Amino acid sequence: MSISNHHDDDALQFVDEDFSITEKQGMGKDWPVLIVDDDPDVHSATTFALRDITILGRGIEFLHAYSGAEARQLLQLRKDIALIFLDVVMEKENTGLEMVKVIREEFGMLEVRIVLRTGQPGYAPELQAIRDYDINDYKTKSELTLTRLVTTLTTAIRSYDQLATISASRRGLRMIVDSATDLFGRRGLENFAAGVLTQISALVRLSPEGLIAAKAETAPHHTHVDDEPVIVGAAGKFRDWINHPLHDLQDKKIANALRQCLEQRRNIIDESCTTLFFSTSAERDIAVYLNTGEPLTAMDTQMLEVFCTNIAIGFENVDLFQQLNAYAFSDLLCNIPNRTRLLQIIAEQRQTGSAGWTIALVDVDHFSEINDALGHENGDRLLRAVAERLRGGLNKETILARIAADTFAIFGKNDHIDPLQLQHLFDTPFAVSEYFLRVRGTIGLATLDNGQNEQTALQHAHIALNRAKNDLRGRYCYYTAEMETETKSRLTLLHDLRAAIEAQGLELHFQPQIDLHTGKIVGAEALLRWNTPQGMIPPDRFIPLAEYSGLIIDLGEWVLRSACIEAKKWHQNGFPDLRIAINVSMVQFRSPSFVKMVKQALEDIAIDPHLVELEITESVAMEGAIGLENLLNQLRGLGVMLAIDDFGTGFSSLSYLQRLNVDRLKIDRSFVNTLGAADAQTSIAEMIVRLGQNLKLTVIAEGVETEDQAQALRQLGCQEAQGFLYSKALPASQFFNWLKAH
Ligand code: C2E
Ligand code: MG
Ligand code: MG
């Protein structure tokens, strides 16, 4: 701002030369005082009169405007003016009064003091106006003698300083309160730190430029082994330094200020910068560097101290928040995102389009067996090793998460996910404690469409995984839309089956078994029927479903009990020796309480166990499950008979068969079908009969449909038969009638 050159008298020239009005005096900057007057003499007289004044240790910076319009322009740029000497009459009669309104209302400058001056002694504004617009003083120009001018100026500036202090601290308090709520809502130390910098800068009215350093051990992502502090927050031109160790900073002065502050645990405030120290009870020491450029005023320093106390608590909260966040969104075992976080990530990707992205689920085969066998600690170690192996094989941008005990999820661009490559990661055994574990993974993959819901996407990958598990253990499978329809219809069927079991919509039919030599009825096989309004669903279709879903356990018990109850009726009604054959599924066999269940049923129904025969298929017998021999012996111990069903379709070895303690072999109907056709199949049926003779087992043929087949079997030495030749499976009452008729 320069003094106007409107004036020409010597005294005023002198003022021009001698006063460098922008020069700073004392502690702070000079008080900006604006003179608005259309008379240049007033300007020069005022500046001359007040040239040496120091108020509260600060000099005066004069600003000049020669019209209301000029004043307006100037005020648009300077909001820090302390006092305005304002002429009332300028362009118009009341320009000055209009200016007052503009200053207070339009510019919202409430602290600036205003002294109105007028040349005409008789003219005075309304008292109301003086009150409304907070006019400090009203003087005629002649009244403003040198001393009075000095007094007026001093009073006005002191009052301005008080007002400014009050409103600044009010603003500061507001900010502290706001920042408390605002900052606590921010996630993560980085955000919080940036917030602190912004708030502090706002408090001292600077542009947000600064750095926050934390001791290495408290910095969240620290990878630095030494004690070097790390920059955890940065704003303005320092932004790029985030997460760097302090010694990376090019400006050694700043680095030293921060380091010193942390070491000496105190605020360091000097000429050009301010470094504030925060310490919390959690021992999280933090230093904040601000590029202040000039020393802070006492008021600013005081305000910062209040702010610091408040923020120290904030840092602690952020820390807690981060911990909670970690618990909620990451898998603490492997230190990778969990299911919740994965879903978030997929949802985030959807915002920019998820076409071209794939989810792969990798399931560790037989994990629960390993976990049981080697202990949970080793199980955990294995999972960590698998996570590490997977991570190592993935592209940097690809996400690895753990979404269930032994299921990892991989989310990345289609090109970055190759199931074969993922499988190769399992080629080398995993070193866990002293073991080298050969583990394979089964993989289900789903490629995403744009806008696809994250839950759906994950569900698709699950469907594919299940398919891969069921069909191709240790392989992979991509999701297709048909899978879902299949799954859906299986689910409907399962739902209906469950309802049928509850409503007892299932019933048992009985098919007689005949002694081929005497023609007498020796027993019956119970066969399950499911009649629905849409027709009969064959057991071949719903038994596997019941097995798959576990429903077979309850269903199997119901079959066993119902069949025994029915057989008991025969025994009590004239057929005391009739045997009842009951099919038992592999899943039932594996259930640990199977033997107990059978024992209880036999006791409850009080049936002679020798008349109860359990059929297991040859494939089950051949699965060679450890403990099968033992299990069969326990069942034999209960007194029940055992038969191997569908015999000839599996690959039983003679020696194995010898070890299995069973009573009967059932020749599969496919070998009976072709009997008498004089081809190679004949010899299989014959072989089975021989085998039975050798092992002293009874042999029964199923699916006998013609008298020729029966004749052929009889000649081979087969003892018993079952099939449509005698009867198909009949409902209980019809079967009983059939019994009586024969
Ligand atoms: P399976 O135990 O081998 O039963 C013999 C199957 O052959 C029965 O079919 C029977 O109806 C059929 N069959 C009997 N005689 C003839 C014949 O002369 N010609 C022809 N073509 N077929 C004949 P079904 O009832 O459809 O049962 C199929 C399979 O479902 C059974 O084979 C058995 O493995 C299973 N199953 C049936 N009921 C139960 C049950 O209660 N529990 C369990 N776990 N499985 C059952
Ligand atoms: Mg059977
Ligand atoms: Mg069979």
Side-chain angles (χ1 to χ4, degrees):
M1 222 39 65
S2 71
I3 283 198
S4 134
N5 39 24
H6 287 232
H7 37 70
D8 41 7
D9 94 357
D10 286 339
L12 292 170
Q13 287 299 336
F14 169 77
V15 168
D16 243 353
E17 281 162 18
D18 229 21
F19 278 79
S20 165
I21 50 166
T22 51
E23 191 186 84
K24 295 201 169 131
Q25 299 177 12
M27 290 285 297
K29 56 186 176 99
D30 295 339
W31 302 108
V33 171
L34 171 64
I35 302 167
V36 189
D37 208 303
D38 54 358
D39 180 355
D41 289 345
V42 173
H43 286 262
S44 36
T46 313
T47 42
F48 183 75
L50 303 173
R51 66 189 186 280
D52 290 330
I53 299 280
T54 324
I55 300 161
L56 301 169
R58 294 158 68 178
I60 311 288
E61 172 194 5
F62 286 105
L63 305 162
H64 303 271
Y66 295 90
S67 66
E70 244 184 277
R72 192 185 239 281
Q73 272 180 4
L74 205 145
L75 286 168
Q76 237 140 18
L77 303 171
R78 296 284 300 249
K79 294 283 185 283
D80 60 339
I81 292 167
L83 171 62
I84 304 174
F85 286 112
L86 187 58
D87 190 11
V88 175
V89 186
M90 284 179 290
E91 295 100 310
K92 287 189 287 177
E93 275 283 287
N94 60 345
T95 302
L97 278 174
E98 275 173 13
M99 258 336 281
V100 175
K101 199 172 168 190
V102 168
I103 293 165
R104 296 289 188 228
E105 285 176 5
E106 196 176 311
F107 293 144
M109 296 168 72
L110 303 179
E111 290 118 45
V112 64
R113 299 295 81 207
I114 300 171
V115 174
L116 279 178
R117 297 199 288 190
T118 173
Q120 291 108 309
Y123 183 89
E126 299 287 328
L127 253 175
Q128 185 67 30
I130 292 185
R131 259 205 304 274
D132 284 355
Y133 293 124
D134 187 18
I135 293 165
N136 214 47
D137 215 340
Y138 178 79
K139 295 278 177 327
T140 57
K141 286 182 185 171
S142 57
E143 274 181 285
L144 280 177
T145 59
L146 179 71
T147 32
R148 290 195 76 172
L149 200 56
V150 171
T151 333
T152 306
L153 177 89
T154 314
T155 333
I157 283 187
R158 278 179 188 277
S159 123
Y160 166 78
D161 185 48
Q162 266 166 6
L163 276 176
T165 310
I166 290 166
S167 78
S169 55
R170 187 184 296 133
R171 209 168 38 236
L173 273 172
R174 180 79 261 154
M175 250 179 226
I176 289 167
V177 171
D178 287 352
S179 68
T181 43
D182 183 32
L183 290 175
F184 296 169
R186 282 165 198 260
R187 288 203 192 141
L189 189 59
E190 273 173 38
N191 272 338
F192 182 76
V196 167
L197 282 172
T198 314
Q199 300 291 358
I200 291 183
S201 309
L203 281 182
V204 296
R205 275 161 278 174
L206 289 169
S207 57
E209 297 229 309
L211 287 165
I212 299 189
K215 287 219 182 134
E217 63 267 27
T218 55
H221 309 294
H222 80 100
T223 43
H224 318 283
V225 277
D226 47 37
D227 277 349
E228 184 68 1
V230 177
I231 294 161
V232 295
K237 66 179 179 199
F238 299 109
R239 218 178 24 237
D240 294 340
W241 292 106
I242 194 138
N243 288 332
H244 278 263
L246 217 50
H247 57 59
D248 277 6
L249 268 183
Q250 262 138 28
D251 193 329
K252 293 300 163 210
K253 204 174 152 243
I254 301 177
N256 284 339
L258 283 165
R259 193 170 291 123
Q260 230 181 41
C261 175
L262 284 172
E263 272 162 18
Q264 300 174 6
R265 304 174 63 90
R266 64 180 182 87
N267 296 349
I268 295 174
I269 298 173
D270 73 22
E271 293 284 306
S272 61
C273 69
T274 300
T275 316
L276 302 166
F277 177 76
F278 298 84
S279 178
T280 70
S281 54
E283 301 285 304
R284 178 188 276 287
D285 284 356
I286 276 169
V288 178
Y289 170 87
L290 281 181
N291 202 13
T292 38
E294 59 185 72
L296 293 178
T297 63
M299 190 188 75
D300 282 345
T301 317
Q302 209 180 334
M303 207 149 65
L304 281 185
E305 264 153 26
V306 178
F307 186 78
C308 290
T309 335
N310 199 331
I311 287 319
I313 303 164
F315 272 116
E316 247 179 294
N317 285 350
V318 165
D319 205 25
L320 277 173
F321 193 91
Q322 273 189 327
Q323 263 175 33
L324 283 176
N325 225 27
Y327 289 138
F329 294 104
S330 57
D331 167 45
L332 298 178
L333 179 70
C334 300
N335 208 10
I336 52 178
N338 63 7
R339 188 174 190 278
T340 316
R341 180 67 194 123
L342 176 77
L343 287 171
Q344 276 185 350
I345 294 171
I346 303 174
E348 281 160 20
Q349 184 54 47
R350 182 156 55 121
Q351 308 294 319
T352 51
S354 36
W357 288 70
T358 293
I359 303 181
L361 298 183
V362 182
D363 191 272
V364 182
D365 292 353
H366 303 296
F367 177 74
S368 58
E369 280 103 310
I370 297 170
N371 209 26
D372 290 344
L374 303 183
H376 289 203
E377 262 179 43
N378 284 323
D380 286 355
R381 285 193 192 114
L382 173 63
L383 289 173
R384 276 197 290 259
V386 171
E388 212 169 288
R389 185 79 60 83
L390 287 172
R391 182 72 271 169
L394 294 172
N395 175 286
K396 289 270 172 295
E397 302 157 38
T398 305
I399 303 294
L400 174 68
R402 189 168 72 116
I403 59 164
D406 58 351
T407 311
F408 291 91
I410 293 165
F411 180 60
K413 298 222 177 85
N414 292 353
D415 300 349
H416 294 159
I417 296 181
D418 172 8
L420 285 175
Q421 187 240 330
L422 286 174
Q423 276 183 332
H424 283 315
L425 294 175
F426 288 85
D427 287 349
T428 333
F430 293 87
V432 168
S433 299
E434 67 268 35
Y435 311 99
F436 281 96
L437 301 176
R438 280 195 181 280
V439 181
R440 302 232 60 96
T442 306
I443 305 170
L445 304 103
T447 44
L448 277 66
D449 302 333
N450 259 339
Q452 191 169 45
N453 175 290
E454 61 277 9
Q455 301 275 5
T456 316
L458 197 57
Q459 198 188 339
H460 286 174
H462 266 297
I463 291 173
L465 178 65
N466 276 334
R467 180 56 68 94
K469 274 192 200 167
N470 286 336
D471 299 355
L472 325 141
R473 191 85 214 173
R475 295 274 196 76
Y476 70 87
C477 182
Y478 271 95
Y479 169 83
T480 62
E482 296 83 67
M483 279 183 198
E484 193 161 21
T485 12
E486 277 170 45
T487 310
K488 273 197 187 127
S489 66
R490 276 163 72 94
L491 281 177
T492 334
L493 198 60
L494 189 62
H495 176 264
D496 293 350
L497 177 60
R498 187 170 283 132
I501 292 172
E502 274 161 22
Q504 309 249 302
L506 292 158
E507 76 179 303
L508 285 180
H509 285 199
F510 300 90
Q511 189 178 36
Q513 298 178 329
I514 312 293
D515 184 313
L516 272 173
H517 300 284
T518 64
K520 273 177 64 184
I521 306 160
V522 288
E525 179 178 5
L527 293 162
L528 197 50
R529 295 290 175 262
W530 181 13
N531 290 307
T532 70
Q534 288 78 40
M536 213 272 293
I537 300 177
D540 297 326
R541 240 189 101 200
F542 71 82
I543 296 283
L545 194 64
E547 288 177 338
Y548 174 78
S549 62
L551 280 177
I552 193 73
I553 304 285
D554 290 343
L555 188 59
E557 181 171 356
W558 178 81
V559 168
L560 177 78
R561 285 177 177 264
S562 315
C564 288
I565 290 169
E566 197 56 37
K568 184 129 190 238
K569 280 188 208 156
W570 310 330
H571 300 157
Q572 292 168 336
N573 290 285
F575 304 93
D577 308 322
L578 222 53
R579 195 173 64 217
I580 177 75
I582 297 154
N583 293 287
V584 176
S585 114
M586 167 180 75
V587 180
Q588 280 175 278
F589 248 86
R590 283 204 193 132
S591 129
S593 54
F594 181 65
V595 177
K596 222 175 87 195
M597 184 278 282
V598 173
K599 183 169 186 271
Q600 192 62 49
L602 295 174
E603 278 170 21
D604 290 350
I605 297 158
I607 188 171
D608 179 358
H610 289 286
L611 296 176
V612 177
E613 182 166 87
L614 302 182
E615 292 187 4
I616 57 165
T617 57
E618 188 188 12
S619 48
V620 174
M622 278 305 99
E623 234 199 15
I626 315 157
L628 180 72
E629 275 179 68
N630 180 21
L631 186 64
L632 294 182
N633 285 336
Q634 284 184 44
L635 289 168
R636 291 280 301 228
L638 299 177
V640 298
M641 303 278 181
L642 296 170
I644 297 187
D645 204 353
D646 303 342
F647 197 78
T649 53
F651 305 93
S652 310
S653 75
L654 196 60
S655 59
Y656 183 69
L657 205 57
Q658 254 171 329
R659 291 214 308 274
L660 292 183
N661 200 353
V662 297
D663 305 274
R664 209 177 315 273
L665 298 180
K666 289 188 88 173
I667 306 176
D668 190 71
R669 71 165 180 268
S670 55
F671 308 113
V672 175
N673 260 339
T674 47
L675 264 181
D679 65 3
Q681 302 289 4
T682 313
S683 58
I684 293 183
E686 192 179 340
M687 216 176 65
I688 296 170
V689 176
R690 293 281 134 73
L691 191 67
Q693 285 165 348
N694 282 337
L695 296 173
K696 306 210 164 36
L697 305 176
T698 322
V699 176
I700 180 169
E702 357 170 51
V704 179
E705 294 182 355
T706 64
E707 190 49 57
D708 284 355
Q709 291 167 347
Q711 187 57 33
L713 287 160
R714 216 173 283 132
Q715 274 168 9
L716 287 176
C718 179
Q719 294 98 326
E720 296 173 357
Q722 172 186 350
F724 294 168
L725 174 63
Y726 311 102
S727 170
K728 61 181 176 106
L730 299 169
S733 58
Q734 282 182 38
F735 176 76
F736 191 62
N737 291 338
W738 189 92
L739 266 185
K740 286 187 287 190
H742 291 76

